[in-house]
Amino acid sequence: LRSLDLTTKMRRKAGIRGIKAQQAQQKAVQEKGDELQAAKMEEMQKSMVKFKSELETFAGKHKKEINKDPAFRAQFNQMCMKIGVDPLASNKGFWSDVLGIGDFYYELSVQIIEVCLKTRNRNGGLIAIRELLRLIKHKRKKQANAISVDDIKCAIAKLKGLGNGFGVITIGNVEMVKSVPMEFNRDHSTVLSHCQQSACATITQLERKTKWTKTRIEQTLNMMLNEGIAWIDTQSGSETIYWFPSLWQKST
């Protein structure tokens, strides 16, 4: 019995030593992994600092092209965003001092708001992005820098952060800017897509095109009516016609 107890104790000690050795090995592996990860992060940070410095040099060298050429400016913005640099985040610092790019988008944002508010009574707060671009170009001074659809999108991305309803949505194959707090869902987009050519529809026509129930169509239209995106015409015949003023230009 004593021999058996001794053997059992020895096995237990050997087992404990094995567990401790395994734990020590795992700890060493973890520490080595942490060390390699820290070294990797440090190297990445150094690379990012170097790349940002080179980006600033590039921006200073090509200031004229960035300010004057919308396509060049769009590519520059994409380069910045890929490394986490936001030249629109602040009006202070390098980007404002060298490029004035923060001021450029601030001014454009104000112009977007002004045009959207001015046209809201006609389109219900929904306007084709190229129509918005055309109106803003007309509004800007002739000597002002050229702007593009990409510039409009960049400026709206900043407005969207304010929670005031601004955003870019796609209806069919047309990008549109909304300036109302209403949250567009797939039903709203589907109705507008089916009406792109005529800019209007009746419930019967939408039932035939969408294969939806009358209740679903009515709920969708009522929400659009409440936001001013749809108008009704009860004098054109036996059935009410729903008009979408934001599509009028597309249908003419």
Side-chain angles (χ1 to χ4, degrees), residues 9-101:
K9 289 180 180 179
M10 290 176 66
R11 286 177 178 173
R12 285 178 180 173
K13 288 182 178 179
I16 292 172
R17 284 197 299 270
I19 292 173
K20 287 183 177 180
Q22 187 177 13
Q23 289 175 340
Q25 185 179 19
Q26 289 175 346
K27 184 178 179 182
V29 170
Q30 182 65 44
E31 289 176 349
K32 189 62 177 179
D34 292 343
E35 181 183 335
L36 291 172
Q37 186 66 25
K40 185 177 179 181
M41 287 297 295
E42 184 179 357
E43 186 64 28
M44 286 179 62
Q45 288 173 351
K46 288 180 179 178
S47 297
M48 291 295 285
V49 170
K50 181 181 178 182
F51 192 66
K52 286 181 181 180
S53 175
E54 291 175 351
L55 187 63
E56 290 181 0
T57 302
F58 174 87
K61 183 178 179 180
H62 296 279
K63 174 182 177 180
K64 184 177 179 180
E65 292 93 331
I66 292 171
N67 281 312
K68 295 291 184 182
D69 186 343
F72 195 93
R73 185 165 55 246
Q75 292 177 346
F76 174 74
N77 280 331
Q78 289 175 5
M79 253 194 327
C80 289
M81 300 309 276
K82 283 181 180 179
I83 64 165
V85 175
D86 187 355
L88 313 184
S90 173
N91 283 344
K92 298 178 181 179
F94 172 82
W95 304 108
S96 178
D97 294 340
V98 174
L99 299 178
I101 200 166

Side-chain angles (χ1 to χ4, degrees), residues 85-122:
V85 175
D86 187 355
L88 313 184
S90 173
N91 283 344
K92 298 178 181 179
F94 172 82
W95 304 108
S96 178
D97 294 340
V98 174
L99 299 178
I101 200 166
D103 294 333
F104 170 84
Y105 282 108
Y106 173 79
E107 178 187 0
L108 182 56
S109 298
V110 171
Q111 291 167 345
I112 289 171
I113 293 172
E114 289 176 347
V115 172
C116 286
L117 290 178
K118 187 176 180 180
T119 60
R120 187 177 290 179
N121 66 327
R122 300 199 305 268

Side-chain angles (χ1 to χ4, degrees), residues 201-207 214 217-218 221 239-240 242:
T202 64
I203 289 179
T204 300
Q205 290 171 338
L206 289 173
E207 282 180 313
K214 184 177 180 181
I217 293 171
E218 287 178 337
L221 290 173
E239 190 173 2
T240 298
Y242 293 82

Side-chain angles (χ1 to χ4, degrees), residues 201-230:
T202 64
I203 289 179
T204 300
Q205 290 171 338
L206 289 173
E207 282 180 313
R208 185 171 63 251
K209 291 179 178 179
T210 63
K211 310 301 181 185
W212 295 348
T213 64
K214 184 177 180 181
T215 300
R216 181 177 177 181
I217 293 171
E218 287 178 337
Q219 289 176 343
T220 303
L221 290 173
N222 286 337
M223 185 174 292
M224 298 173 85
L225 284 170
N226 290 337
E227 294 294 339
I229 293 172

Side-chain angles (χ1 to χ4, degrees), residues 81-197:
M81 300 309 276
K82 283 181 180 179
I83 64 165
V85 175
D86 187 355
L88 313 184
S90 173
N91 283 344
K92 298 178 181 179
F94 172 82
W95 304 108
S96 178
D97 294 340
V98 174
L99 299 178
I101 200 166
D103 294 333
F104 170 84
Y105 282 108
Y106 173 79
E107 178 187 0
L108 182 56
S109 298
V110 171
Q111 291 167 345
I112 289 171
I113 293 172
E114 289 176 347
V115 172
C116 286
L117 290 178
K118 187 176 180 180
T119 60
R120 187 177 290 179
N121 66 327
R122 300 199 305 268
N123 57 35
L126 192 62
I127 183 172
I129 196 167
R130 293 198 174 277
E131 173 65 5
L132 177 60
L133 177 64
R134 184 187 70 80
L135 293 173
I136 290 177
K137 282 183 175 179
H138 181 72
K139 180 183 179 66
R140 289 165 69 87
K141 297 177 181 178
K142 290 184 178 180
Q143 63 269 28
N145 293 333
I147 59 173
S148 66
V149 167
D150 285 325
D151 290 324
I152 298 284
K153 289 179 180 179
C154 282
I156 288 176
K158 292 303 171 184
L159 290 175
K160 192 175 181 180
L162 300 177
N164 53 7
F166 281 86
V168 178
I169 61 174
T170 301
I171 305 298
N173 58 354
V174 178
E175 289 184 308
M176 307 193 79
V177 174
K178 74 177 188 74
S179 57
V180 289
M182 172 183 173
E183 189 66 34
F184 264 73
N185 59 34
R186 186 173 296 178
D187 285 3
H188 303 131
S189 298
T190 300
V191 167
L192 289 171
S193 295
H194 284 303
C195 298
Q196 276 189 318
Q197 297 301 317

